[in-house]
Amino acid sequence: MKIYILLLLVSFSYCCHAQIQVIRTETEAMDFIVNQGNIYQAKAEELQAILQDFVLEPLLYSTEKQSEPKGYGLKEPGYVTSKAPKQSETTKTAITGKMTVKPTTIMTATNVTIETTMMTVTNTTMDGTTMIVTEITEEPASTQCITDLETFGSDILGEEHYALMMLDSYGKLPPGILQGNILWLGLYDQCLKQSREVDDHQSHFTAQYCLASITKDKNPQPILNVGVCVPDSCNSAELMEYLNVIDESNITVSVMCHKEFDYSSGAIACLTLLAFLGCLILVGTATEAFNKYKQFEIENEGFDRLASTNQPILTDNEQIKTVPVNGQIRVTKSDVGGENTHGFFIQFLLCFSLLTNGSKILKAKQGEGSLGALNGFRVLSLWWVILGHNYVFVATILSNPSKILDVLSRFTFQAIGNATFSVDSFFFLSGLLITYLTLKYLRNNNGKLNWVMFYVHRYLRLTPVYMLVIFIFTTLTPHFTTGPLYSFALDPNPAPGVENQLTYCQDYWWTNLLYINNLYPSSIAEECLAWGWYLANDMQFFIISPFVIYLLYHYFFAGAATWCILLLTCFSSLIGESIKHDLTTESFPTDPTQINFVSDSIYVQPWTRISPYLVGMAVGYILFKYRGRVRMSLTMTILAWVTATVIGLAVVYGLYGNFHGNHLSKAATVVYITLCRFAWAIALAWVVFACTTGYGGPVNSLLSWSVWIPLSRISYCAYLLHPIIMFVFYFSLPTTAYFSDLLMVYFFLGNLVISYAGAFVLSVCAEAPFMALEKLILKRDKSV
């Protein structure tokens, strides 16, 4: 079988549809694509021509010696005819420089029906399509791949069951081309189950699934991705060499084949670490359970003895305490075997107890003086983050991605399309809490602050579980599941020049450790755990915050001036970036060179994102100074609520006109980009202030609901895990998904529940133990 039989294997289904008429006219197709803002910019007739030239014609070449088809599967053989080639077709030179092709036979097939036990294809028409038998004068380097392809091709003509099943696994021309459907995955599972057996029932070769991507004009964005099923003797490099045989063409075909990953040394190390952590959890939990049982037994026995003898009989674990009561000395006993009296090793083990850590997380109460409404804010903001990511990540596996453009134009969808403001809510809350709590600490410690422990505590609070998630993601994610896209998207050792999230973590994990990943690498798409840019910004804001807080506590006007300088620096940066890069607020600019205001140039930089954090610091200072002493009239309260509501709605829904031809002017664009996140924080500031000073009403009742407290405690872990859960789920789907509102609701609820379930496990097994260890090591006088 000739080299070009491989092309037949790449897109066999196209042959069946070569003459299907495009439903829309050429003008309608072009208008549709332009109006929908199709990012691939592929014309309908251009795509058809590419398929014809690079798939249909090349893939129809067969072997020099055609084998006669068996009679058991082929109905009405009269439909298969052969013609002698015209004398003028003595040489075909479409492919130059690598081989010479001599056509010998032309076959036209129409109305072919193939019936097998598992597959039926009826009334398939290939009018005018030709099968050209060729002779190859140059032998390719890998003979085993070609031999297996020839065998596979012969078995297709012979209607061998495995060959037909492999052929049926190919990606086929689906509906929805004009809706951006360029991902034709085929049947991944069916392909991998096939193999060709020889007489002794030993496998001659097994099938492997590959994804062929067609690009045009060296644009990295594919215009088509199609799944193929080929013998496992053919690797990706060979397939790419065979498919890219037309040197002067502007079309490039790249191939990535399914992989079964071996456990790397990093994966083994990660599993070892998790096993060690699991052992500590088991031993710690058993230790606490034994202590509780022993304490319960001692207390009951002591009570019985005291009741029977009426004397203070002590056990080895009890000691006398004298307590003055109403001027008299009363003798009591105390347990010296409690947590405070355990040795360091026992306390170390108790840090990993599921009983203690689980009860702390699930406890639906907080101490006095806490800001209860912030729990609801934190949880609902994270739900908003997950909702936005739900739509972003699912776009990679949709069969109708252009539908999202229609959805974005809805007024009701603006809150989802502008979900980036949910991150500003976290910046606001972080600034508020660090200011409020630090000011209280300064008041209780005579205005002194332990600067070293201030930073060490924060770093140890966030980093261990953060690094553990990166370690698991980088080493174990490839082994979680499988799918037609999974091994390509999460390949720890891809082909040279191919990068993905795992390779970025292998190269740049240390930037996350130092919390500079928002600054290096420069692109968010190349960061390890791309969503970790928020943590880097938050840490950088935290580093400068005590200087402002310290000044506010001791020298208010100096602190206020510093606060104003930081805010003005943020505004100046936004104005400068907006003008320099001609930023736009349009989600899909008509000018492809224009940059959106959520681009890397301003979205992840700390000097452009600090304004909500500064607003939170201001609110934290106000609550520290005036909480419990605020008196407002009903009119003022209503006016403040109306103002905050209008500001919040204007920020979230203010860009609705962009989708309906009412674009902002350049001046209005600069103003919106500069003030939108600051204004959103101002709206939140009133809500928090009202809820914590008694003017929140039902809003405070909702946000202070005790149910939010346990969910709030695991929000950090949920933030770290939810994109990984989405990656694993979406890339393991066996086929594409068709976008619909109900499906997205279902995906969101599933991702939400699984993210929080995983977050609870991560928190109780890693985050809480690390926090307890930090308290044990740095403050050993306190109980764990």
Side-chain angles (χ1 to χ4, degrees):
M1 183 175 295
K2 307 307 180 184
I3 287 179
Y4 291 105
I5 189 61
L6 178 59
L7 298 176
L8 177 59
L9 305 179
V10 175
S11 300
F12 165 82
S13 59
Y14 301 153
C15 306
C16 302
H17 299 275
Q19 299 300 320
I20 291 180
Q21 298 298 318
V22 179
I23 297 175
R24 299 177 183 269
T25 65
E26 177 181 338
T27 302
E28 289 174 331
M30 289 294 296
D31 292 342
F32 181 87
I33 293 174
V34 171
N35 292 336
Q36 295 298 321
N38 192 313
I39 61 174
Y40 309 109
Q41 301 297 320
K43 301 177 183 178
E45 74 279 5
E46 179 183 4
L47 184 60
Q48 184 71 16
I50 291 173
L51 296 182
Q52 180 70 28
D53 295 340
F54 289 85
V55 178
L56 299 181
E57 289 186 5
L59 296 184
L60 295 178
Y61 294 107
S62 183
T63 58
E64 181 177 4
K65 296 181 180 180
Q66 286 282 4
S67 60
E68 293 296 331
K70 298 180 180 179
Y72 62 81
L74 189 62
K75 298 291 186 67
E76 301 183 71
Y79 285 108
V80 181
T81 61
S82 62
K83 301 178 183 178
K86 296 180 181 180
Q87 295 299 321
S88 60
E89 294 181 274
T90 56
T91 305
K92 186 173 180 63
T93 59
I95 300 180
T96 61
K98 291 194 176 182
M99 64 190 67
T100 302
V101 181
K102 298 179 181 179
T104 59
T105 306
I106 299 178
M107 302 179 63
T108 302
T110 60
N111 297 335
V112 178
T113 302
I114 299 176
E115 294 183 355
T116 67
T117 57
M118 298 184 66
M119 180 186 71
T120 302
V121 182
T122 60
N123 197 27
T124 302
T125 304
M126 295 183 289
D127 297 328
T129 302
T130 59
M131 280 189 175
I132 303 179
V133 181
T134 65
E135 178 182 353
I136 300 178
T137 59
E138 181 177 338
E139 187 70 10
S142 176
T143 57
Q144 186 60 49
C145 176
I146 291 300
T147 300
D148 290 344
L149 286 172
E150 290 177 351
T151 303
F152 177 36
S154 299
D155 289 345
I156 291 175
L157 296 176
E159 300 181 38
E160 295 291 339
H161 182 267
Y162 90 91
L164 295 179
M165 294 294 283
M166 287 178 63
L167 200 57
D168 186 47
S169 301
Y170 279 62
K172 301 174 177 63
L173 183 68
I177 301 300
L178 298 180
Q179 296 187 48
N181 188 2
I182 64 166
L183 196 60
W184 309 348
L185 298 180
L187 299 176
Y188 168 83
D189 293 331
Q190 178 173 299
C191 172
L192 295 184
K193 292 178 181 178
Q194 307 310 314
S195 63
R196 185 182 191 275
E197 296 181 351
V198 293
D199 294 338
D200 57 356
H201 300 289
Q202 298 295 320
S203 293
H204 176 60
F205 63 77
T206 58
Q208 70 170 338
Y209 180 91
C210 301
L211 191 69
S213 300
I214 302 175
T215 57
K216 184 176 182 292
D217 297 327
K218 297 182 179 180
N219 188 332
Q221 178 62 57
I223 61 173
L224 185 63
N225 300 279
V226 60
V228 297
C229 190
V230 297
D232 60 355
S233 58
C234 300
N235 58 42
S236 298
E238 291 173 339
L239 297 178
M240 290 176 64
E241 179 182 357
Y242 298 155
L243 291 173
N244 293 283
V245 292
I246 305 181
D247 295 333
E248 61 272 14
S249 171
N250 61 347
I251 299 297
T252 303
V253 182
S254 60
V255 180
M256 293 183 294
C257 292
H258 164 78
K259 296 181 180 179
E260 293 289 345
F261 302 113
D262 295 327
Y263 282 91
S264 64
S265 56
I268 295 174
C270 186
L271 290 173
T272 303
L273 175 62
L274 294 178
F276 179 70
L277 182 61
C279 291
L280 290 176
I281 291 172
L282 290 176
V283 174
T285 304
T287 301
E288 183 178 7
F290 176 76
N291 286 342
K292 288 185 177 296
Y293 171 77
K294 185 177 180 182
Q295 181 181 1
F296 177 78
E297 185 181 45
I298 291 174
E299 289 176 353
N300 284 343
E301 182 180 359
F303 178 80
D304 292 340
R305 290 195 225 174
L306 183 63
S308 60
T309 63
N310 201 24
Q311 294 180 1
I313 302 175
L314 302 180
T315 66
D316 293 338
N317 293 321
E318 297 172 21
Q319 65 181 11
I320 292 290
K321 276 190 179 181
T322 59
V323 181
V325 179
N326 297 329
Q328 299 180 355
I329 300 299
R330 178 168 298 178
V331 179
T332 63
K333 67 175 182 177
S334 64
D335 182 12
V336 300
E339 291 182 355
N340 290 332
T341 59
H342 286 311
F344 177 82
F345 180 70
I346 297 299
Q347 294 184 58
F348 173 83
L349 292 177
L350 291 176
C351 291
F352 297 89
S353 172
L354 293 178
L355 298 177
T356 297
N357 296 330
S359 62
K360 288 180 180 179
I361 292 174
L362 296 176
K363 185 179 179 181
K365 291 183 180 181
Q366 285 185 309
E368 294 183 3
S370 60
L371 306 177
L374 299 190
N375 296 311
F377 261 109
R378 184 179 292 108
V379 174
L380 294 177
S381 296
L382 181 58
W383 288 8
W384 197 6
V385 171
I386 297 175
L387 179 61
H389 284 166
N390 184 65
Y391 281 84
V392 172
F393 293 163
V394 78
T396 59
I397 52 94
L398 289 179
S399 61
N400 58 334
S402 66
K403 179 66 175 177
I404 294 182
L405 300 174
D406 295 332
V407 175
L408 281 172
S409 63
R410 300 176 189 168
F411 181 80
T412 54
F413 196 80
Q414 298 306 298
I416 300 176
N418 290 312
T420 59
F421 292 107
S422 60
V423 182
D424 296 292
S425 301
F426 280 111
F427 285 141
F428 168 80
L429 293 176
S430 184
L432 187 157
L433 284 173
I434 191 61
T435 304
Y436 181 76
L437 296 177
T438 304
L439 288 173
K440 290 179 64 176
Y441 180 90
L442 289 172
R443 183 180 60 188
N444 296 334
N445 291 273
N446 299 320
K448 297 180 179 179
L449 179 65
N450 188 332
W451 292 80
V452 174
M453 292 307 302
F454 182 83
Y455 292 117
V456 169
H457 171 74
R458 177 72 170 185
Y459 188 83
L460 295 179
R461 165 69 179 84
L462 298 179
T463 307
V465 67
Y466 187 22
M467 290 298 104
L468 179 62
V469 170
I470 291 178
F471 196 17
I472 294 174
F473 176 69
T474 307
T475 59
L476 297 183
T477 305
H479 306 282
F480 284 169
T481 184
T482 185
L485 297 174
Y486 196 82
S487 63
F488 312 139
L490 298 171
D491 186 352
N493 298 297
V498 178
E499 300 288 341
N500 57 43
Q501 277 290 314
L502 298 190
T503 59
Y504 295 144
C505 279
Q506 294 168 5
D507 296 335
Y508 301 117
W509 63 270
W510 57 272
T511 63
N512 299 71
L513 182 66
L514 299 177
Y515 292 94
I516 60 171
N517 49 295
N518 61 328
L519 303 175
Y520 181 82
S522 58
S523 174
I524 189 175
E526 297 178 357
E527 292 181 21
C528 172
L529 259 64
W531 55 100
W533 70 268
Y534 160 77
L535 298 176
N537 276 271
D538 190 69
M539 180 62 77
Q540 291 157 13
F541 299 157
F542 179 85
I543 290 174
I544 66 174
S545 64
F547 299 97
V548 181
I549 298 170
Y550 191 84
L551 289 175
L552 286 173
Y553 186 83
H554 291 284
Y555 313 100
F556 172 76
F557 289 105
T562 305
W563 184 92
C564 291
I565 291 173
L566 290 173
L567 183 62
L568 291 176
T569 301
C570 177
F571 288 163
S572 301
S573 300
L574 288 168
I575 294 172
E577 292 291 335
S578 300
I579 297 175
K580 176 182 177 181
H581 298 289
D582 190 23
L583 299 180
T584 179
T585 56
E586 299 176 30
S587 299
F588 297 96
T590 54
D591 182 1
T593 62
Q594 199 169 16
I595 303 176
N596 189 275
F597 80 110
V598 294
S599 63
D600 293 348
S601 61
I602 66 170
Y603 189 72
V604 300
Q605 308 302 330
W607 46 84
T608 60
R609 296 303 297 266
I610 196 174
S611 59
Y613 194 92
L614 293 174
V615 174
M617 293 182 69
V619 175
Y621 180 82
I622 293 172
L623 292 178
F624 169 75
K625 294 290 290 186
Y626 302 106
R627 186 186 181 193
R629 293 182 290 152
V630 177
R631 297 293 181 267
M632 296 177 59
S633 65
L634 179 61
T635 302
M636 182 63 69
T637 302
I638 294 176
L639 180 62
W641 273 107
V642 171
T643 303
T645 302
V646 170
I647 292 175
L649 293 177
V651 169
V652 176
Y653 293 92
L655 300 179
Y656 175 67
N658 282 342
F659 298 95
H660 301 278
N662 300 320
H663 303 291
L664 298 178
S665 64
K666 288 188 177 296
T669 297
V670 173
V671 171
Y672 182 87
I673 293 174
T674 304
L675 298 179
C676 63
R677 304 192 185 281
F678 175 77
W680 175 254
I682 291 295
L684 295 183
W686 164 252
V687 177
V688 172
F689 179 80
C691 291
T692 54
T693 55
Y695 296 94
V699 176
N700 179 57
S701 300
L702 174 63
L703 296 177
S704 301
W705 190 20
S706 59
V707 173
W708 303 126
I709 298 176
L711 296 177
S712 178
R713 292 193 181 105
I714 61 176
S715 292
Y716 177 53
C717 291
Y719 180 80
L720 292 176
L721 287 181
H722 79 271
I724 300 177
I725 290 171
M726 291 184 185
F727 281 144
V728 171
F729 173 69
Y730 289 140
F731 288 133
S732 64
L733 290 177
T735 185
T736 55
Y738 190 86
F739 180 92
S740 68
D741 293 325
L742 185 60
L743 180 67
M744 296 307 299
V745 171
Y746 197 81
F747 279 171
F748 167 65
L749 294 177
N751 289 326
L752 185 68
V753 172
I754 297 175
S755 296
Y756 271 88
F760 176 77
V761 174
L762 180 64
S763 183
V764 77
C765 294
E767 184 186 25
F770 292 148
M771 292 172 60
L773 283 175
E774 186 252 346
K775 184 182 293 186
L776 172 65
I777 295 173
L778 300 182
K779 297 181 180 181
R780 299 182 61 178
D781 58 313
K782 292 187 177 182
S783 172
V784 296

